[in-house]
Amino acid sequence: PLTDPSPSTMSMLTRLPGAPFPGKAGLTLARTLVTSSVASLAPPDGALNHGIAHKGLASAAADPAAGVVLPDLSYDYGALEPVISGEIMQLHHAKHHQTYVNNLNVALEKQSEAIHKNDHAAMIANQGAIKFNGGGHVNHSIFWTNLCPKKDYAPPSGNILKMINRDFGSLEKLQASLSSTTVAVQGSGWGWLGYDTDKKKLFTASCANQDPLQAAGPYVPLLGIDVWEHVSNKNESKRNEANKP
């Protein structure tokens, strides 16, 4: 029988080989991720706790003074070139994710003060900033673990491959489903491969902006594709420039 994916099981689904994304040239960073075999399904520590997907956020919720910190990458910024430029990786991680972390820490501190003062209006007002910046931190913390240099690629195998074949029919059909789900996102958001802990099935879904998949149901996020149009266009422009005669 197939069992729930665990961190050890999910590590077997590392580095999906690519299938082209349809249409919408320059729409998302997702196209470069899947088509160039730099995606991984190994979740970060705590990703299977579908209440909060990153332990840094859990510790900050318990002790706001501790704060949330930007996770380190397991590879250099330039390790994914020429698929994703080092400049874009540094911008995305050190500036944009750091901004989510900074704003989340501010929001959590305000929420702690509101709770201490029993200020219900302030508690409610703080929810938007916590959701947006907390989601940005959680989603990106998973996202970084989904990437790897091409040399570290390994195809899915074992139990997780059986689950893919059972729920999608084949790896190629999973890629097609995730591709079509992701490119349908307008503006910014996320395409996800997730696991439904109630139905015991893999599925694909999209979330707007920084909404975390975990908030939508009893779901475990496994692979996230960040739909970030402007960065994808910039990355594509850099590749086109590099390929000029």
Side-chain angles (χ1 to χ4, degrees):
L2 301 180
T3 58
D4 291 4
S6 64
S8 59
T9 301
M10 290 314 303
S11 67
M12 294 188 290
L13 187 53
T14 54
R15 289 76 186 178
L16 284 172
F21 277 73
K24 296 192 177 180
L27 174 62
T28 70
L29 184 58
R31 180 173 56 251
T32 60
L33 302 186
V34 176
T35 58
S36 302
S37 303
V38 295
S40 161
L41 292 190
D45 291 342
L48 297 184
N49 298 326
H50 46 268
I52 297 179
H54 192 261
K55 61 183 179 181
L57 181 54
S59 62
D63 181 12
V68 176
V69 297
L70 182 71
D72 294 331
L73 302 184
S74 62
Y75 43 82
D76 294 334
Y77 286 136
L80 305 183
E81 291 185 343
V83 178
I84 306 177
S85 75
E87 177 187 355
I88 287 174
M89 285 297 296
Q90 183 172 14
L91 175 70
H92 200 176
H93 177 259
K95 182 176 180 180
H96 289 180
H97 189 172
Q98 183 66 65
T99 299
Y100 289 125
V101 168
N102 294 344
N103 290 341
L104 176 59
N105 282 325
V106 171
L108 290 174
E109 184 175 350
K110 289 181 178 179
Q111 189 72 332
S112 179
E113 293 175 358
I115 292 172
H116 180 72
K117 295 177 180 178
N118 201 31
D119 186 342
H120 296 101
M123 293 181 208
I124 295 170
N126 291 331
Q127 290 300 311
I130 292 173
K131 178 183 179 181
F132 181 77
N133 294 290
H137 173 53
V138 166
N139 292 340
H140 283 87
S141 295
I142 297 171
F143 177 71
W144 306 127
T145 70
N146 290 161
L147 305 180
C148 76
K150 190 173 182 179
K151 65 180 178 61
D152 295 331
Y153 164 79
S157 61
N159 193 51
I160 189 62
L161 181 57
K162 293 178 182 178
M163 296 177 70
I164 292 174
N165 291 334
R166 181 197 67 187
D167 297 336
F168 293 97
S170 68
L171 178 61
E172 291 72 23
K173 289 181 179 179
L174 161 60
Q175 290 174 317
S177 176
L178 185 57
S179 297
S180 62
T181 296
T182 302
V183 298
V185 175
Q186 297 183 356
S188 65
W190 290 83
W192 287 103
L193 172 63
Y195 179 74
D196 187 320
T197 60
D198 282 350
K199 297 180 180 179
K200 312 297 183 185
K201 292 184 63 176
L202 299 172
F203 67 98
T204 59
S206 63
C207 295
N209 300 313
Q210 295 301 330
D211 294 356
L213 180 67
Q214 304 91 305
Y219 306 144
V220 178
L222 301 177
L223 185 149
I225 299 177
D226 189 0
V227 182
W228 192 21
E229 180 176 358
H230 299 295
V231 164
S232 181
N233 290 338
K234 184 176 181 181
N235 198 60
E236 187 167 304
S237 296
K238 289 177 70 67
R239 289 201 308 273
N240 291 340
E241 185 68 26
N243 291 332
K244 283 184 179 179

